[in-house]
Amino acid sequence: MHPDGYFALVLDPPSAEILQRRFCTLPRPLAHHCTLRYGTKNPADLPPPFTASDLGRTFTLAVTGYARRDDGGVEAVVVGLLLADGRLLEHGFTENAIPHVTVATDGVTEPATANDLLRAGFERIAGPLLLARLEHTWASSSQEDPRGA
């Protein structure tokens, strides 16, 4: 984990449960957050459309895709950011090429490998809406439960 942590849209518990129930097929459930900017604690580093004044606000994410690695190492959902005017922003609001939430791993594979998985392709779906709060965090997938619960 980077010493400065990262900014993320952290799922509320009901949204994490929805992902785990609907998409988790692997032994290590995660379904915790969508990373926005890694390796910083400076709110000025937030990607657009976010600003420092958005910290602590709740946003809506729409699940638009799903992928599971053939060997069962990692699975993730692709998400878009639902804007106040109703438009769905599918790219550019995170530093990741494909905005996503890592749903689960096999317990050995690093969650960050979801980036490679999704770049290789994913199934487009019309999935659920999720609620997530913009936070700065140091939560790590190497912890037993990234929510600290």
Side-chain angles (χ1 to χ4, degrees), residues 27-114:
R28 180 112 196 296
L30 296 172
H32 180 254
H33 69 273
C34 173
T35 301
L36 300 179
R37 183 66 43 107
Y38 184 78
T40 182
K41 56 186 171 186
N42 184 348
D45 293 335
L46 282 164
F50 303 106
T51 66
S53 66
D54 289 324
L55 282 168
R57 283 192 49 219
T58 298
F59 293 87
T60 302
L61 297 171
V63 174
T64 62
Y66 170 81
R68 181 176 190 266
R69 205 166 73 184
D70 288 342
D71 68 0
V74 64
E75 61 192 339
V77 293
V78 177
V79 295
L81 177 66
L82 194 59
L83 300 174
D85 64 7
R87 289 180 298 135
L88 185 66
L89 186 58
E90 295 192 64
H91 300 286
F93 67 94
T94 81
E95 66 182 358
N96 291 321
I98 302 173
H100 68 278
V101 175
T102 303
V103 175
T105 72
D106 58 6
V108 176
T109 303
E110 285 296 318
T113 62

Side-chain angles (χ1 to χ4, degrees), residues 16-33:
E17 185 178 322
I18 287 168
L19 288 185
Q20 290 177 10
R21 259 195 342 263
R22 288 189 60 181
F23 299 101
C24 183
T25 65
L26 300 175
R28 180 112 196 296
L30 296 172
H32 180 254
H33 69 273

